[in-house]
Amino acid sequence: KGEIMFDYFALLVYIKEGKRLIGYDNFEGHRSEGGSHHKHVGDRLFPYDFVDEWKLLADFNEDVEKIRRGTIP
């Protein structure tokens, strides 16, 4: 039985007019700051508690909708 593992997801990003508005990743050199999974909201960086791929996609989609509604600047 196969299993898909997303513990090392690389990047989910929403870009508008060439600018990253929201991005979830576990790279960009932030491991040295004590964490791996995190999200970018504009120029800000927040830790992200990765649970599984379904929660990741739901959280990402929710943030994209908040950006579209203007509730995340």
Side-chain angles (χ1 to χ4, degrees):
K1 179 178 174 181
E3 182 174 84
I4 299 172
M5 298 297 294
F6 281 86
D7 185 47
Y8 291 101
F9 73 90
L11 178 65
L12 285 174
V13 65
Y14 179 64
I15 297 172
K16 185 174 181 180
E17 298 175 5
K19 182 177 178 184
R20 175 179 59 192
L21 301 180
I22 189 85
Y24 285 71
D25 74 275
N26 63 349
F27 186 63
E28 290 198 19
H30 300 296
R31 289 182 187 268
S32 62
E33 297 173 12
S36 59
H37 299 294
H38 57 276
K39 72 177 182 177
H40 300 261
V41 179
D43 294 330
R44 297 170 290 169
L45 182 68
F46 300 93
Y48 178 72
D49 186 22
F50 179 80
V51 175
D52 60 31
E53 66 273 17
W54 305 113
K55 175 108 172 77
L56 171 65
L57 291 171
D59 291 345
F60 176 75
N61 286 328
E62 181 179 332
D63 281 346
V64 168
E65 287 305 314
K66 287 178 181 177
I67 288 170
R68 290 178 176 166
R69 288 191 309 265
T71 57
I72 292 180

